Every structure is written in C-alpha cells, then in structure tokens.
Amino acid sequence: MSDILSSEAKAFLSQPLQLFINGGWQASKNGGNTDVINPSNGQTVAKVASGDEADVNVAVEVADLAFQEWSKRTPESRAAMLNKLANALEDKIDVLAQLEALDVGKAYVNAKGFDIPFGIDCVRYYADLATQAEYEKPLHLQDIDARVHRVPYGVCGFIFPWNFPFDLLMWNVMPALAAGNTVVIKPAELTPLTTLYFCKIAEEVGIPAGVINVVVGAGRKVGTPLVQHPKIRRISFTGSSGVGKQIAAMCGERPIPCKLELGGKGAAVVFEDADLDKAATQLAGAITLNTGQVCCTATRWLIHESIYDQFVEKVTATLKATKIGPGLDPDTQMGPLVSQAQQDTVLQYLDKGLSEGAEAILNGGALSISGSEGGFYVSPYLLGGSADNICFREEIFGPAAYLVKFKTETEALELVNSLDYGLANSVFSEDLTRCQRVAEKMIAGNSWINAHNVFAYGLPYGGINKSGVGGGVNCPETFYDYLRDLTIARPLG
C-alpha cells in the first residue's frame, strides 16, 4: 500500500521523526527511538524519538516562558493565528488522512471523510468562540463593586490514546490554545504521526515557539513526569479508566484540575417498534467504525424479544458484507486493530465469553488478508446470552457486541444502568415520547435517539462515573474550562 501514499507523506516518513519542543525538532535527551508499526501488515513505517523526564522538563519550561507572550495576545490575535493554522491543515487533509490510516489502521475513507475534516472544524470553532467569549462578568452586589475576571491557567498537559490521534488532539488542545494557554502533549507511542505532522504545519504557519510542544514516550517516562511537573497547571487525559484513576490521584496530591475522558461500555436499546433497518445499520457501523476501538461505541445491544431474530438477521448480514482490509485501501470499510496486543485482547475476550456460556451469534475471529499478511485483523463477532457474561460487563475495544433480550422498558433500563460506566447509550424506537423518557433515565453523559455516535460542535460530550470527570469536549463549556476565575472586589463607601 506504500504506493498509495503521496510524495509528501513519504518524505515525512523517510526522515527520523523527532520531538517538537520550542518551535523546533529535537532528538530525545536519552537518544532513544521507537518504531511506528503499520497495523495493516505489521511493518515499521517510521522511527520516532522517544523521550523521558528530561525532555518533559525542557518542554514545560519553554511552554511556561511562551505563556507570558501568548496569554497577553488579544483573543482576536490568537484566533487569527488559529484560523491560519486551520487553513493550512485543510490544504493537507489528504496527507493527514493517509498518515492517520497508516498509523492507526483505520479506513482511509473514514479518516478523509470525517476524522480529519471534523478535527479541522474544531480549530475554527474555538478560534471563533475565543472572540465571542465573556472574559469579564459583573457581579451585582450591595455595597461592593465586584466582577469575575477570567484568565488562562498557564501550561496545560495532555495525554492521548491511540484510537483517534488527530481528533482527540484537536478537541482537547484547541480550546486551551484559544483561551491563551500553552501546551505540552504526550501522544500515544503507537500513533504519533498526525500529531507530529500537525506540529510541522504549526511551525510553518508561525505559531510562536514554545506554545505547542510534543514529547513522545512511554507513560511512566513521559506521562508521569508531565502530570507531576510543578509548572503544569492543568491536565487532560483520554484513555483507560484504570490509568485515569492514577492520574486523578497524582493531580489530587498537588492539587490541580484534571479532565478525564475514560472508557465506556455503551448500551443500545432497540424496542419492538424501532426501524430495524436503521438500527441494524447504525449498530453494525458502531462496532466497525475504527474497528470498534471507540470508547463511546455501543457494545451491549438490548433487543426486545419480539424482534430479536429479525434484528439479528439484518445486523449479521450487514456485518458479513463489511469490506475488511488495509487502512490505506480506498475500498476498505474496516481496517485492522491497532496492534498485536490489541488483537490478542479482543480474541481473548471472544474465548472468555464463549467459555462462560455465551452463544456465538456471529463467530468472528482472527483474519488473514491476502497481500497484507502480518496485519492485526479480526472479523466482527456477536455473542449473546446472560448479562453476567464477561463480554457484557467489560470493555473489549474491538469489533464485537453482546446481545441480550428484554421484555419491558424497566428491564431494559436496569440492564443499561447495571454497570459503573457512564459514557454514551442510545435508544431506538418510533415512539419519541418513550425515547425521551428512556434517554433521561440512562445513567451516562450522553443519550442518543435513533442513532449512535452523534457529534457536533456545540453539542457537549463527556462521561460520568468510571467514564470520566472534569468536563467534556466540543462545546463552550470546554473553552471556559481553560480559563480560571479571578474574583475582584472593592467595598463601596
């Protein structure tokens, strides 16, 4: 698939990729590197510098220095710079989509058709919001002249996972930059390519040195010192619930605010009057999108007993027709999993689910793709049975779902709310009154009606319980998260 890559993407990958600190490219202090693997064939596509605490320390210091100038710019000045960045990114959509597909293994058509353009829209959304935000809020108090003055925090740290490198970068970093903060970013070691290419574009458009800094490296070597650095004023982490708890504890010791976007085990409730074609298409798409490596996807399907067999027939037909192949193949609808370790995990869950008595409704498994031997492919699988099964209770993060029949609305809601996760659920029914009622009773940050995975700027998205804390993304509230309140008061008389 290398012949599909543009000359610009090939040139970018052919050089040693370094850390981006203080507006330039630097080797790691320890001289270490890590291989970036193409999940479609298991081959190395790039070498990237792998940093540690020494690099983090330099990045935070230069970000702190850059904050003094960046924070003093007017919102209009920062917005103009970010809009210039958005225009430059838009000119490179194809290169970014190729790198994302190559890096993550996701279907190129999805990367180019949604992920990259939607991420670029985020830059413009927060640039515009910065010029409209309320930075002064008068307080109407008796005998006191008072106001709330909103100012940026300083250096903000970001730690990202490997499933949506570009979009998660945009969703989290852009509101911080627009609000006047500077940033130090730790992308996932597995998928750093679009983050580093983004830095290349930021350098070319003239984002001031030190405003954006990227240190690639292992969590314990880069993530931990980033969270613990005394000049980091705020942390945002996207990833597993287990690691999120550790980061929350570290932030609590200092203490500094942290935003955690964590795992999920979303449920979809399909009632007897649902549009079954639509429900089957939506839910099949939910577990094949990014090969099921989506924290908010629906992997618990609660199907009314009266339409269970019809639904199963429709959704299995859709899944069997899904074109699986290399991420860069323009005909691919679902690519490989991101790594050998993730493939092993997803297959182990299949074995565990079956060993606990689940029925194999659609028996997927490891898959070999001609011409892409060595890739980490898994065909979709559906299991069904008791809600006590491990595949109903735990996040698999692959193209898999677990089906349970239900009789009543009350029973369905009990099943939805039976886990400690709380990210995103959906309900399918032609009775919109029932949809609204059920949506309100689902314990989560997001309830979607007759669809799953609904995203738009201005539509808040975030989790509760084991799925997150500290605010969401993609909305005005996210922007204000990166401004701290300073109360100023003067007694009268």
Side-chain angles (χ1 to χ4, degrees), residues 123-245:
V123 186
R124 296 193 174 103
Y125 176 75
Y126 283 110
D128 292 345
L129 193 57
T131 65
Q132 303 165 19
E134 184 181 59
Y135 297 92
E136 301 287 341
K137 181 181 178 181
L139 299 175
H140 303 289
L141 305 173
Q142 185 175 358
D143 298 329
I144 300 176
D145 175 25
R147 60 191 169 97
V148 173
H149 178 60
R150 293 183 170 126
V151 294
Y153 279 85
V155 186
C156 298
F158 296 86
I159 303 173
F160 295 124
W162 41 258
N163 56 338
F164 285 91
F166 187 75
D167 276 349
L168 292 174
L169 175 72
M170 298 297 104
W171 293 1
N172 289 275
V173 168
M174 287 305 135
L177 293 176
N181 302 279
T182 54
V183 301
V184 179
I185 301 158
K186 180 206 156 337
E189 279 187 287
L190 288 175
T191 57
L193 296 184
T194 49
T195 300
L196 294 173
Y197 193 81
F198 159 79
C199 292
K200 176 179 181 294
I201 302 301
E203 179 186 17
E204 291 174 356
V205 301
I207 299 293
V211 171
I212 299 170
N213 305 274
V214 173
V215 181
V216 182
R220 67 185 183 280
K221 292 184 177 181
V222 173
T224 299
L226 179 61
V227 174
Q228 295 180 332
H229 197 287
K231 289 188 177 179
I232 290 290
R233 301 300 181 213
R234 190 177 181 95
I235 283 288
S236 175
F237 169 79
T238 307
S240 72
S241 299
V243 177
K245 289 179 181 179

Side-chain angles (χ1 to χ4, degrees), residues 1 62 79 93 109 176 221-222 247 313 315 355 368 389 402 448 471:
M1 288 298 137
V62 299
I93 282 180
V109 291
K221 292 184 177 181
V222 173
I247 288 175
E313 181 180 358
V315 78
S355 70
S368 178
N389 193 281
Y402 194 92
W448 294 318

Side-chain angles (χ1 to χ4, degrees), residues 34 36 106 110 117 166 168 201 205 234 243 326 397 412 434 440 467 471 490:
T34 186
V36 178
K106 66 177 60 185
N110 291 334
F166 187 75
L168 292 174
I201 302 301
V205 301
R234 190 177 181 95
V243 177
F397 228 56
R434 172 161 64 182
E440 290 176 0
S467 293
R490 177 178 65 88

